[in-house]
Amino acid sequence: MGAIPTQRETVSRATGAPAHPAGVSARECARAHVTLLGSSLAPGAAREMVRAALTDWSALGLPGTRHWTEHLAADALVVVSELVTNAVVHAGTDVEVVCRLEETGTLVVEATDHHPSRAPRSGDQETPHEIPEYGRGLRLVAALAEAWGITYRPGTKTVWARLRAAGAETGETPEAAGATEASDAAGVVSAAGTAGAAGAADVVDGADMVRTAARIEAYGAERDPRFSGSPAGPPPEREAGTGRRGRDREWLGRGALSFLAEASDLLAGQLDEDLVASLTGQLIVPRLADWCAVWLEDESLGRGAWSDAPGAVVGARLARVWHAGESHIEELRRALEKDPPRPRDPWRSGPVAHPWPGDALGPDGAHGVALAYRLVAGGRPLGTLVIGRSGTAGFPDEITGLVEDLSRRVALAIGAARQYARQATISAVLQRGLLPGAVAEIPGVRSALVYEPCDKGGPSGDFYDLFPAGDGRWCFAVGDVQGKGPEAAVVIGLARPWLRLLAREEYGVPDVLDRLNQLLLDDATEAADAAARALVAAGGPPVAPGDGPQTRFLSLLYGELVPHAGGVRCTLASAGHPLPLLLGPDGTVRAVAEPQTLLGVVEDATYTSETFELCSGDTLLCVTDGVTERRSGSRQFDDGDGLATALAGCAGLDAGLVAERIRRLVHEFGARPPEDDLALLVLQAE
């Protein structure tokens, strides 16, 4: 199917009209829009849309079209082709293309895809033979446009470019004029003037935060038309100090409190310290300063992390540099790295002067004022925030106080992100310790495993094991602890070693389950007694029934394999676990165990086992309830023997393909990702 436009609209109004349609900014007088399928035909369809729009607008004599030249029209077609090609190749979704005409004759071309986690590529890494298929990349867009950048909305990413008509006077810098309307209630944050894919990568991690950041900008846009679009405004070197101070005072009176409230909301939800540093730059620049930089310190080195040697810093790194003009960032970064903040008392409040970064900002920014704020949270110095303004006027006291309040919130967000990172590291280490380092190879048996924890940042409640037990025996287990997190990890850490120990002591399958059941009950009783003693010692009230540590129930499928000349003898038992299924070479499927009670529930429970032969070509499937109870609306995957039906369709496949097919069918069963851990083990007799 080709790239067929699904919508096209053009909105026009006369210059100076008192009202404008919703979604059309005060500077915009025409718009063309089309949605294209993400295919190789999309760039051509986008070019046709832009060509038709330019023709229509010229025929209507809309404001600004008198400034157009043939070069502008040709550049617009090239730019829209490159933007759409980039979106189709690197995002792979449908593409929404917008061409906007402003009253000055400036054209804004936007290409929106639905994959915000993939940054657009600049084309720097593309080899010459790739150019015909992948386009020339954003380097060509940067060369033709006066400004370009990336705008993020929830679930989408827009790459835009501004092409200015010859002789048009906008009164704005490229960085200021290029952003999409900040008052869009859906939420927009713009990387105005981004100069390459590296800049896009800095912003792409912030896709989660765009709604709140947009409200920060929208607050000013709703109250002052000068704040519509990108708030960069005129560059400081072109603006009188008194004019800028007046704008500072006006904005502070209107938007400062909302700014801090929204900034707190934005920063509090971030779990990565580098993303916090990036968001800090986007919050400060250009609203409060022309540029800013964030250094982050290594807490493990303590307060002595800063070296007294000039220009030398131990354990601190320049995490993010942000400037209103993207072209200055790299030079500014190099200058700041040579002259980092000096050691100072971390408990001293307020900013201190920081050396101006020399000529890094060009001849118009050779002089200015820079201030450094220490980032301290929970009694720990975490880094330093430096802000700067070109010119000699400096920062008003109101701005320095506002940035000081913001720096406290930044420090708290960095501290929370580091705490989360520490916990995630501990969880990952713990998770690795709860699972076997390798799955044993069994003579005459092929095995395959799928293990997908739902929570990537914490211990899973599912576990598996496959290990030699001596005397020609191999044992396997697939289990599921009630709940997740540290308490589930405690149960797994108790059950897995005991399974191996009891198996190697030559206990049979029923005896292993009997003893593991008693072990879980005893452990729960000891934990409850210890909690009660601790509470009484602390002078607290008696422990009521149901309070204190609770028993963690464990469902377990445990079995023993003994290869012999005629096949493999399998003995297994299911304790409250989904029953294992046996697939024969002819496609027949049957359950090979009887349901029994969960482990850790009934005192002195007695378990039984079943023994059968795994003949050549037989396949045994063992799963957790994350497979059988996978939901799609009110239905579950195993409703109507759905798992057995899926397994029957795997006849003739080897173990690895069986495991992959079942995994794929489980994922495809529901539109949303699985909400429980998945574990399945396939054992197939050769």
Side-chain angles (χ1 to χ4, degrees), residues 50-260:
V50 172
R51 184 182 294 109
L54 298 185
T55 301
D56 292 346
W57 296 342
S58 295
L60 292 172
L62 295 183
T65 55
R66 61 187 177 87
H67 298 298
W68 286 359
T69 64
E70 292 183 2
H71 290 296
L72 178 67
D75 289 350
L77 296 178
V78 172
V79 166
V80 73
S81 181
E82 293 301 327
L83 293 185
V84 173
T85 299
N86 208 304
V88 170
V89 172
H90 301 308
T93 69
D94 291 353
V95 185
E96 299 174 18
V97 185
V98 173
C99 182
R100 297 191 284 115
L101 168 64
E102 297 181 353
E103 294 173 352
T104 60
T106 296
L107 291 174
V108 179
V109 180
E110 303 173 351
T112 300
D113 63 68
H114 299 274
H115 206 318
S117 62
R118 290 186 183 174
R121 300 186 184 180
S122 66
D124 293 342
Q125 304 301 321
E126 294 174 3
T127 56
H129 71 273
E130 291 175 321
I131 288 177
E133 179 181 358
Y134 295 107
R136 294 159 182 81
L138 297 180
R139 291 177 296 175
L140 182 57
V141 174
L144 296 177
E146 70 162 358
W148 71 277
I150 304 98
T151 297
Y152 286 90
R153 295 181 176 88
T156 65
K157 173 177 80 272
T158 299
V159 184
W160 54 263
R162 285 179 59 86
L163 294 95
R164 184 167 163 182
E169 295 295 334
T170 66
E172 289 183 300
T173 61
E175 291 83 3
T180 301
E181 296 88 339
S183 57
D184 187 344
V188 184
V189 64
S190 176
T194 304
D202 287 344
V203 182
V204 69
D205 292 335
D208 294 340
M209 59 79 182
V210 294
R211 287 188 293 268
T212 306
R215 293 201 301 272
I216 297 171
E217 299 304 337
Y219 186 88
E222 292 169 358
R223 290 158 175 77
D224 191 333
R226 290 178 301 170
F227 293 144
S228 64
S230 172
E237 58 270 18
R238 300 181 187 177
E239 186 178 37
T242 55
R244 183 161 195 171
R245 286 184 180 276
R247 193 179 76 172
D248 286 338
R249 286 193 298 270
E250 185 175 356
W251 180 80
L252 286 167
R254 294 171 180 266
L257 293 179
S258 176
F259 174 84
L260 283 176

Side-chain angles (χ1 to χ4, degrees), residues 251-555:
W251 180 80
L252 286 167
R254 294 171 180 266
L257 293 179
S258 176
F259 174 84
L260 283 176
E262 298 287 4
S264 299
D265 183 37
L266 168 64
L267 295 171
Q270 308 309 323
L271 301 176
D272 180 86
E273 62 179 56
D274 287 314
L275 179 55
V276 171
S278 180
L279 298 183
T280 301
Q282 297 183 55
L283 287 167
I284 291 177
V285 178
R287 176 67 74 209
L288 305 176
D290 297 329
W291 59 267
C292 80
V294 179
W295 275 264
L296 296 178
E297 299 177 23
D298 187 347
E299 291 181 79
S300 64
L301 300 180
R303 293 181 59 183
W306 290 92
S307 170
D308 293 330
V313 178
V314 179
R317 61 185 176 89
L318 183 54
R320 190 68 74 223
V321 176
W322 205 265
H323 194 285
E326 191 78 11
S327 59
H328 294 303
I329 287 182
E330 289 306 317
E331 188 66 27
L332 178 60
R333 174 182 289 275
R334 287 191 289 268
L336 293 174
E337 286 177 338
K338 295 177 182 177
D339 196 6
R342 303 269 63 81
R344 54 173 286 197
D345 183 0
W347 317 121
R348 175 183 172 183
S349 62
V352 297
H354 182 79
W356 188 254
D359 298 328
L361 304 181
D364 294 330
H367 303 285
V369 177
L371 299 175
Y373 297 79
R374 289 291 277 151
L375 301 175
V376 180
R380 307 189 310 275
L382 304 178
T384 303
L385 168 66
V386 178
I387 62 174
R389 270 192 180 185
S390 299
T392 58
F395 291 93
D397 291 342
E398 297 88 348
I399 292 292
T400 59
L402 183 63
V403 176
E404 184 175 356
D405 287 340
L406 178 63
S407 69
R408 296 191 185 100
R409 290 159 172 78
V410 171
L412 290 173
I414 292 173
R418 290 188 173 184
Q419 180 65 25
Y420 174 82
R422 284 192 290 267
Q423 292 176 346
T425 300
I426 293 172
S427 295
V429 173
L430 182 60
Q431 182 73 27
R432 288 196 298 268
L434 296 176
L435 298 174
V439 175
E441 295 184 4
I442 306 174
V445 177
R446 290 188 293 268
S447 63
L449 176 75
V450 172
Y451 179 74
E452 295 181 351
C454 181
D455 182 5
K456 305 299 182 181
S460 166
D462 290 3
F463 72 97
Y464 63 88
D465 206 354
L466 180 59
F467 58 92
D471 296 330
R473 298 178 301 121
W474 279 262
C475 295
F476 64 93
V478 178
D480 186 1
V481 180
Q482 177 197 20
K484 297 179 177 63
E487 293 185 3
V490 169
V491 177
I492 297 174
L494 184 71
R496 224 183 113 247
W498 272 100
L499 280 175
R500 290 196 170 208
L501 177 63
L502 293 171
R504 287 167 180 166
E505 290 294 324
E506 299 186 1
Y507 284 94
V509 170
D511 293 332
V512 169
L513 296 187
D514 290 344
R515 283 159 175 77
L516 185 57
N517 177 63
Q518 193 60 47
L519 177 66
L520 292 174
L521 289 168
D522 292 346
D523 182 71
T525 301
E526 292 174 2
D529 291 345
R533 288 194 299 270
L535 190 61
V536 171
V543 179
D547 293 340
Q550 302 294 310
T551 300
R552 281 293 186 179
F553 307 140
L554 171 64
S555 75

Side-chain angles (χ1 to χ4, degrees), residues 582-590 617 644-645 647-652:
L582 182 65
L583 170 67
D586 58 353
T588 58
V589 177
R590 63 185 177 93
T645 302
L647 182 60
C650 298

